[in-house]
Amino acid sequence: MSSVTSLVENSVAVLRFGAGPVNSLGFATRRDLAAAVEAANAAPGVTAIVIAGNNAMFSGGADIREFGTPAMLQSPNLPDLIAVVDGSAKPVVAAIEGNCLGGGLELALGCNYRVAAQSARLGLPEVKLGLLPGAGGTQRLPRLVGVENALNVILGGEPLPATMFKGSPLLDELVAGDAVGAAVRLARARAGELAAGGRPPRVRDRRVSSEHLEALLGFVRTNVKAGFAAYPAPLKIIEAIEAAATRGFDEGLAIERRLFGELLVHPVSRALRSAFFAERAAARIPDVPESTPLRPVRSVAVIGAGTMGGGIAITFLDAGIPVHLLETSRQALDKGAARVREHYEGQVKKGRLKLEHALATLTLLKPTLSYDDIAQDDVVVEAVFEDMGVKEQVFTALDRVMKPGAILASNTSTLDLNRIAAITRRPADVIGTHFFSPANVMKLLEVVRGKATAGDVLATTMKLARTLRKTAVVAGVCDGFIGNRMIEQYSRQALFMLDEGASPPEVDRAAEKFGFAMGPFRMSDLAGNDIGWHIRKRRYLEQPALVYSKVADKLCELGRFGQKTGAGWYDYRPGDRTAIPSPVVEELVARHRATIGVAPRKLEEREIVDRLVYALVNEGAKILEEGIALRASDIDVVYLAGYGFPVWRGGPMCYAEEVGLYAVALRMRELKRNPYGDPGFWTPAPLIARLAAEGGTFSAVGARS
Ligand code: NAD
């Protein structure tokens, strides 16, 4: 069956194309639409053509399922289809409703006329995937809206309201109602005018004004180089648009095609696309089908109104979900509720929220000291002290009072979720929701699946995460789950490097140059050095064989917990978060080296980065092999959404694949020769060793997405 329907209305052929949620321009649609345009051109009774999408939407663009497959470029590819439209002897009008993005907009630009509904949204988002519009978008858009506007649209990548283009030659008409009807009327009128002969106007024949071109392009290039140095697409977009202004159309099109091809194979573009697909894949759980019936989530309870409980409550309130906030004492409850209120007051003061909206949201907050009040809530998130005894009290109470079918979630970061579940008589209803601090700001949510967690509990929690606008990743039960288990190895390396001769600013600088939002020492000062200290003390008891540098303990013994105490790995001025290299720390580290008998050496940036990143990769590989993460790309999502890993490197696992697992294993074995630190640290994880030997990839391991 054709994906295009053709209906002739009063001598105008109305071609409606597409299927699926966004009418994407996959191979079958391209082939059928090109054939339909040719057929309409050949049909004697047809004088003009209207192209419209099905289901009140033009098109979301390329079919992303074709990305990286031969189908993407299979002929008729998008440029071929647009060439057919562009070559039509009969006028072609695009009727634009809903989204008209990427290849969809390029198709519309290839038409002779465009009629849009006021509610339509137009955009060229390719830059976000590290690409440029490769089907004439960079050549046709400047011919319609000018160089400056085209730069803004294509470099910005955002969908824009059609009303923004009112009055520009991009849109021949902007209508309040039926865009297809208006397009049919316009098509008929233009066909009538052409009846005497001649051909319809084409965008390719328009001239681009090159006034102030050099100055404008120079300015934009400088800004792009300063703000997006790591990204190749913006400069190539500028180059393509420059060609639109300075070369003939066909030459410009060829330049655009060449630049598109260069981007397609660029590692940064590949990483950006990998990150995009990783986020989508993370939502899929192989043994929990999308059709799994969900449990309703109409109201929730949060137990514990401390740092995390408060932030979690705000997250639910922001999504319009009523929250019972439960504490043990009136004092703690009042303090927690006051912090939530202060958050909303702050939002109003900063102009981010209207007062009425804040007040309405706060009516959804119901502080309580009684478990009876929460019995009918659909979901409970426990965020009390990290202590099994306290968790036991809470989950015993929840098991007693909560209605059957309520989801019982724990925010624990280190305790065994299976033990917590076993406290109750309903372990299938227990799940982990590991929020990150501040919970209402951080995007990442690790959803921890216990051995008994029911499929519908997992599916409902994943859906809830989307409602809360979180990026959720499923993790199995282990100490630290995915993110913190990996970061511990990264931190161990950071500390070993201090022992060996690096300074905190040197390590941070190298990490930040690699692209991390923050190096390990600045990050630790922000999170609180006491957190790591607490974990290490537990490790010293539970895993005495695990080697740690003691330098961080010595820092903590001085009370230097980071920003919150005004001093940590750096010094801080009161009320200022700027990290100032600290002579006290320098001396502390030097003394520590003398104590352990290490003669300091200079560590090159490359060594610092390799040790930090490969520490993540090696632990990530273990996590993957153990099935704690469903797929390597889930690990990447955790690091991109929660740990400031540079998105243009795609995440630690994607980065390792880009380097090549053989080369990664080789480097690890090289690092193993370093006599200092934990002798076992750089033994490549069995999975890495195996894949390196077989020429395999992480992406072939675990769940197929
Ligand atoms: P917190 O000390 O700030 O808050 C805990 C709150 O729980 C306190 O207000 C306390 O009064 C209350 N509480 C204690 N026992 C209770 C009980 N029986 N019933 C009701 N309330 C009780 O701790 P936090 O940092 O918010 O951590 C809470 C949980 O979140 C812990 O499991 C922790 O591991 C986890 N977590 C913390 C972070 C973080 O960065 N702080 C990040 C992720 C997860």
Side-chain angles (χ1 to χ4, degrees):
M1 209 181 79
S2 172
S3 57
V4 177
T5 54
S6 174
L7 203 79
V8 180
E9 281 179 36
N10 283 334
S11 81
V12 176
V14 179
L15 312 181
R16 285 191 182 264
F17 71 95
V22 299
N23 293 340
S24 61
L25 290 160
F27 169 71
T29 304
R30 298 192 305 260
R31 178 199 59 202
D32 295 345
L33 189 53
V37 172
E38 290 194 282
N41 253 291
V46 170
T47 57
I49 300 162
V50 166
I51 296 181
N54 283 321
N55 302 322
M57 181 198 313
F58 197 72
S59 170
D63 184 346
I64 56 166
R65 285 167 308 185
E66 288 186 352
F67 262 94
T69 73
M72 182 181 174
L73 300 175
Q74 192 180 346
S75 201
N77 55 31
L78 202 49
D80 293 337
L81 166 64
I82 294 171
V84 169
V85 172
D86 187 63
S88 169
K90 298 174 184 175
V92 185
V93 185
I96 303 171
E97 295 176 316
N99 278 347
C100 178
L101 305 175
L105 180 54
E106 292 183 289
L107 171 63
L109 295 174
C111 296
N112 304 108
Y113 305 98
R114 282 151 299 278
V115 173
Q118 279 173 357
S119 55
R121 296 191 323 154
L122 277 51
L124 292 167
E126 288 79 355
V127 69
K128 300 202 167 173
L129 297 180
L131 297 171
L132 52 73
T138 65
Q139 303 305 299
R140 289 193 175 89
L141 191 65
R143 285 178 158 78
L144 289 164
V145 301
V147 168
E148 189 174 350
N149 289 328
L151 283 167
N152 286 335
V153 173
I154 302 177
L155 289 175
E158 293 297 328
L160 301 165
T163 46
M164 262 186 68
F165 299 100
K166 190 174 175 186
S168 95
L170 176 63
L171 297 181
D172 297 276
E173 278 182 35
L174 190 63
V175 296
D178 170 22
V180 180
V184 170
R185 284 191 293 279
L186 181 74
R188 202 172 311 125
R190 293 295 175 260
E193 289 161 19
L194 289 176
R199 60 178 308 154
R202 298 186 303 175
V203 176
R204 63 153 63 219
D205 299 324
R206 295 176 67 94
R207 292 269 314 272
V208 182
S209 157
S210 53
E211 216 184 322
H212 308 306
L213 185 69
E214 230 169 278
L216 175 64
L217 294 178
F219 172 75
V220 179
R221 273 196 177 104
T222 309
N223 280 344
V224 158
K225 279 182 193 156
F228 302 91
Y231 295 81
L235 283 178
K236 293 199 192 288
I237 287 170
I238 298 170
E239 194 180 336
I241 293 179
E242 182 174 29
T246 55
R247 315 285 183 98
F249 183 81
D250 288 323
E251 202 184 337
L253 217 49
I255 291 172
E256 177 193 85
R257 208 66 205 148
R258 172 175 58 78
L259 296 171
F260 180 81
E262 286 169 15
L263 286 176
L264 211 51
V265 296
H266 194 288
V268 168
S269 303
R270 277 212 296 264
L272 290 172
R273 288 196 294 283
S274 163
F276 174 80
F277 288 111
E279 195 165 328
R280 296 174 149 247
R284 292 193 282 273
I285 307 160
D287 60 335
V288 182
E290 270 172 41
S291 56
T292 305
L294 302 180
R295 299 190 187 183
V297 182
R298 289 158 302 215
S299 67
V300 303
V302 176
I303 316 292
T307 312
M308 294 307 287
I312 294 167
I314 292 169
T315 308
F316 284 114
L317 294 172
D318 281 346
I321 300 174
V323 179
H324 279 117
L325 187 59
L326 187 143
E327 264 287 349
T328 41
S329 73
R330 165 64 53 195
Q331 197 193 7
L333 184 63
D334 289 349
K335 201 169 137 202
R339 272 216 309 277
V340 173
R341 271 195 297 276
E342 278 157 23
H343 162 79
Y344 284 103
E345 277 163 25
Q347 294 293 97
V348 172
K349 271 199 200 115
K350 287 178 199 147
R352 291 186 193 151
L353 210 59
K354 289 222 166 68
L355 179 63
E356 313 84 85
H357 189 90
L359 292 174
T361 303
L362 278 169
T363 61
L364 301 175
L365 177 70
K366 298 179 189 86
T368 178
L369 293 170
S370 161
Y371 275 91
D372 294 337
D373 288 343
I374 69 168
Q376 294 307 315
D377 286 328
D378 299 307
V379 175
V380 189
V381 181
E382 165 280 310
V384 302
F385 298 138
E386 187 74 337
D387 178 288
M388 198 43 113
V390 185
K391 304 279 187 203
E392 189 163 349
Q393 274 174 23
V394 171
F395 276 85
T396 306
L398 292 176
D399 193 26
R400 183 168 43 80
V401 302
M402 296 311 296
K403 67 177 180 186
I407 294 177
L408 312 183
S410 172
N411 189 46
T412 183
S413 22
T414 55
L415 300 176
D416 180 346
L417 187 81
N418 292 327
R419 274 186 64 197
I420 294 179
I423 296 167
T424 72
R425 288 160 301 173
R426 36 174 132 177
D429 294 340
V430 177
I431 194 164
T433 47
H434 186 224
F435 287 85
F436 287 73
S437 183
N440 55 311
V441 177
M442 293 293 289
K443 282 243 118 344
L444 179 63
L445 179 68
E446 282 179 324
V447 173
V448 185
R449 180 181 196 171
K451 63 173 191 272
T453 306
D456 65 339
V457 169
L458 187 58
T460 304
T461 307
M462 294 301 279
K463 165 77 186 340
L464 178 60
R466 270 203 299 283
T467 309
L468 300 178
R469 312 184 79 161
K470 298 290 179 198
T471 304
V473 174
V474 177
V477 177
C478 70
D479 196 340
F481 310 126
I482 298 173
N484 285 346
R485 179 169 153 184
M486 286 163 68
I487 209 76
E488 189 173 359
Q489 302 308 328
Y490 167 98
S491 307
R492 283 178 72 207
Q493 279 304 316
L495 297 176
F496 286 147
M497 288 193 274
L498 292 199
D499 290 1
E500 290 173 58
S503 69
E506 274 169 359
V507 175
D508 284 349
R509 251 197 317 273
E512 286 159 21
K513 225 164 125 187
F514 174 81
F516 275 102
M518 232 183 259
F521 295 103
R522 289 214 297 136
M523 163 106 106
S524 188
D525 269 3
L526 178 68
N529 298 320
D530 49 325
I531 295 180
W533 196 23
H534 186 74
I535 293 172
R536 285 192 302 279
K537 283 183 193 160
R538 190 155 64 91
R539 296 274 183 268
Y540 297 152
L541 295 175
E542 292 173 0
Q543 289 168 267
L546 196 62
V547 186
Y548 275 95
S549 158
K550 295 285 193 296
V551 66
D553 300 351
K554 292 183 177 167
L555 184 87
C556 289
E557 280 157 19
L558 298 180
R560 295 182 68 105
F561 291 165
Q563 289 189 15
K564 63 183 168 191
T565 56
W569 292 108
Y570 294 90
D571 291 333
Y572 297 89
R573 293 198 191 90
D576 188 348
R577 289 165 180 267
T578 314
I580 306 163
S582 168
V584 177
V585 172
E586 202 177 316
E587 202 196 306
L588 177 135
V589 175
R591 244 185 298 124
H592 171 71
R593 284 180 198 132
T595 319
I596 59 172
V598 174
R601 65 181 174 92
K602 167 112 187 96
L603 276 79
E604 300 297 334
E605 265 180 18
R606 168 155 182 257
E607 177 177 351
I608 296 174
V609 167
D610 284 353
R611 289 175 64 174
L612 292 174
V613 178
Y614 292 165
L616 295 177
V617 172
N618 211 30
E619 196 63 23
K622 293 175 190 169
I623 284 173
L624 182 61
E625 191 157 36
E626 288 168 30
I628 296 296
L630 287 171
R631 42 181 94 76
S633 65
D634 281 10
I635 297 174
D636 287 334
V637 174
V638 166
Y639 266 75
L640 297 175
Y643 291 83
F645 199 95
V647 62
W648 53 272
R649 293 199 189 269
M653 308 308 269
C654 172
Y655 172 75
E657 288 208 340
E658 192 67 43
V659 172
L661 296 185
Y662 184 87
V664 170
L666 195 68
R667 179 70 171 137
M668 284 184 185
R669 285 194 288 267
E670 205 173 286
L671 291 169
K672 204 170 155 63
R673 291 204 288 271
N674 178 359
Y676 183 76
D678 178 349
F681 196 105
W682 290 117
T683 304
L687 179 64
I688 294 185
R690 176 162 66 78
L691 294 175
E694 290 171 355
T697 59
F698 284 141
S699 31
V701 178
R704 308 299 305 142
S705 41

